[in-house]
Amino acid sequence: MNPVGGKTAVCGLIGNPVEHTMSPVIHNFLAEKTGTDLVYVPFHVETGRLQDAVTGALGLNLLGLNVTVPYKTDVMECLSSIDPSAEAIGAVNTLVRTEEGFRGYNTDMPGLYRAMCADGVRVAGERVLILGAGGVARAVALMLLEKGAEQVILLNRSRDKALELAERINVKAGRPFAEALGLEEYGRIDASRKYLCIQATSVGMYPKTEEAPITDPDFYRLLSTGYDLIFNPMETRFMRLCREAGAEAFNGYRMLLYQGVLAFSLWTGIEISEELAAETYAEMCRAMEAK
Ligand code: NAP
């Protein structure tokens, strides 16, 4: 790590919990490799202290912050301005210091797209299933619309939430682009086609690694590719079920990389090459194995 001095810029992560975060590995590695005088620190923010945390970060002259669960929506109230794309998603994961206060961005959505491109997963013209209708599913659905997917089917435990999200996306699309089903209603999906499936629920995340949102092998036979946004563990049960049914499977580790790379660029103005992104990814894998 670069030596810390009086001119060292500070960035960090606010969330609850933050103890298992990989973001310091990404940003401190990028700072070292690009010769940027910057350190990145996680900050645990207690319930009810979000506004204090953002005001304190401004007062302490922090250059920027990442925001994680459960504050990605609530933090929007604490900002001086919001990037239109983050506004449309309804969630902010990156704050950048400006003269007026912090400006909010969402790097999850472009981060996922860049990760999918790097993994060779095509979106344009595809029929896509999204499992989940939470914060990240909303960003995924908008990305799929922007990048030219043919159709989206949202499957969520609470069907009402899937319906609400599908309606919002359809208004934006100006056509019936998204439809909603309950998580158990996959039998209604046209089985004569193959689908890309993006797993955007929190089911299967460490420590409940033996869980998957759907366990029926028939569901997995609908898929050509499964893309799990979970990155811990690196191989989820969802991914194993995809492979057992003959589909390709990817995890969310590259999305984590690219949402971080994009945030680093917003803070520093430095474009990160694909070579340096790959080096950072290898560093993240080493750090994960050492855990
Ligand atoms: P969220 O807003 O809390 O949404 C959680 C989603 O999971 C909801 O759709 C919820 O369904 C569903 N769910 C939770 N428990 C369930 C259960 N037992 N059975 C079935 N469905 C269940 O969370 P989020 O922010 O969207 O994050 C979702 C996942 O994406 C997390 O695992 C997170 O780690 C991952 N993520 C990854 C990255 C990355 O960089 N790779 C970035 C952001 C997020 P209901 O609506 O019915 O409650």
Side-chain angles (χ1 to χ4, degrees):
M1 198 194 282
N2 296 319
V4 175
K7 292 183 186 166
T8 304
V10 180
C11 289
L13 169 72
I14 54 174
N16 183 356
V18 293
E19 285 69 20
H20 298 287
T21 177
M22 272 287 154
S23 292
V25 176
I26 301 174
H27 295 288
N28 290 320
F29 184 79
L30 286 174
E32 189 178 329
K33 288 289 170 180
T34 58
T36 307
D37 189 7
L38 180 153
V39 288
Y40 184 98
V41 190
F43 298 105
H44 180 109
V45 175
E46 284 299 344
T47 308
R49 303 301 299 273
L50 179 61
Q51 181 66 64
D52 289 350
V54 174
T55 307
L58 261 183
L60 290 170
N61 203 30
L62 264 65
L63 176 64
L65 286 169
N66 282 137
V67 184
T68 188
V69 176
Y71 299 129
K72 286 186 187 184
T73 301
D74 292 350
V75 78
M76 295 172 81
E77 300 281 303
C78 311
L79 308 177
S80 62
S81 61
I82 298 174
D83 175 67
S85 162
E87 188 90 63
I89 295 165
V92 157
N93 78 327
T94 302
L95 312 189
V96 180
R97 186 187 190 79
T98 69
E99 302 240 312
E100 294 76 37
F102 282 120
R103 180 170 169 82
Y105 294 85
N106 188 306
T107 67
D108 281 336
M109 183 172 93
L112 172 61
Y113 184 65
R114 212 162 140 184
M116 292 178 97
C117 291
D119 282 324
V121 176
R122 216 175 61 139
V123 164
E126 295 297 307
R127 288 182 155 206
V128 189
L129 311 179
I130 301 177
L131 303 184
V136 91
R138 195 155 47 182
V140 171
L142 270 175
M143 181 275 280
L144 293 170
L145 174 63
E146 273 184 19
K147 300 299 179 188
E150 184 187 321
Q151 181 207 13
V152 159
I153 304 175
L154 293 151
L155 296 104
N156 196 45
R157 178 178 61 176
S158 322
R159 192 175 179 279
D160 287 357
K161 271 175 71 180
L163 202 58
E164 198 185 308
L165 177 53
E167 279 167 5
R168 276 183 64 159
I169 297 292
N170 288 340
V171 168
K172 192 147 179 69
R175 64 189 163 91
F177 169 73
E179 68 181 271
L181 294 174
L183 203 51
E184 306 300 327
E185 292 183 293
Y186 52 83
R188 292 174 54 189
I189 296 170
D190 174 6
S192 67
R193 302 277 301 256
K194 289 278 188 186
Y195 300 81
L196 161 64
C197 177
I198 300 181
Q199 199 303 95
T201 77
S202 45
V203 184
M205 229 165 93
Y206 177 86
K208 296 185 175 172
T209 55
E210 277 316 304
E211 295 183 0
I214 299 172
T215 51
D216 180 357
D218 282 350
F219 169 74
Y220 292 88
R221 281 192 269 277
L222 294 167
L223 312 186
S224 55
T225 305
Y227 209 101
D228 201 331
L229 304 190
I230 288 176
F231 50 83
N232 185 11
M234 289 187 80
E235 164 124 334
T236 61
R237 180 152 182 222
F238 169 84
M239 291 168 66
R240 286 199 298 279
L241 286 160
C242 288
R243 290 199 180 112
E244 281 161 21
E248 276 196 295
F250 299 89
N251 65 25
Y253 219 45
R254 257 186 232 287
M255 175 182 175
L256 182 69
L257 164 74
Y258 284 112
Q259 62 75 32
V261 159
L262 293 167
F264 188 86
S265 296
L266 284 170
W267 295 326
T268 62
I270 299 171
E271 284 299 315
I272 304 299
S273 66
E274 279 308 320
E275 290 73 26
L276 182 50
E279 266 188 70
T280 311
Y281 187 74
E283 182 70 12
M284 289 165 66
C285 292
R286 275 194 291 276
M288 185 65 124
E289 276 159 22
K291 272 194 170 199

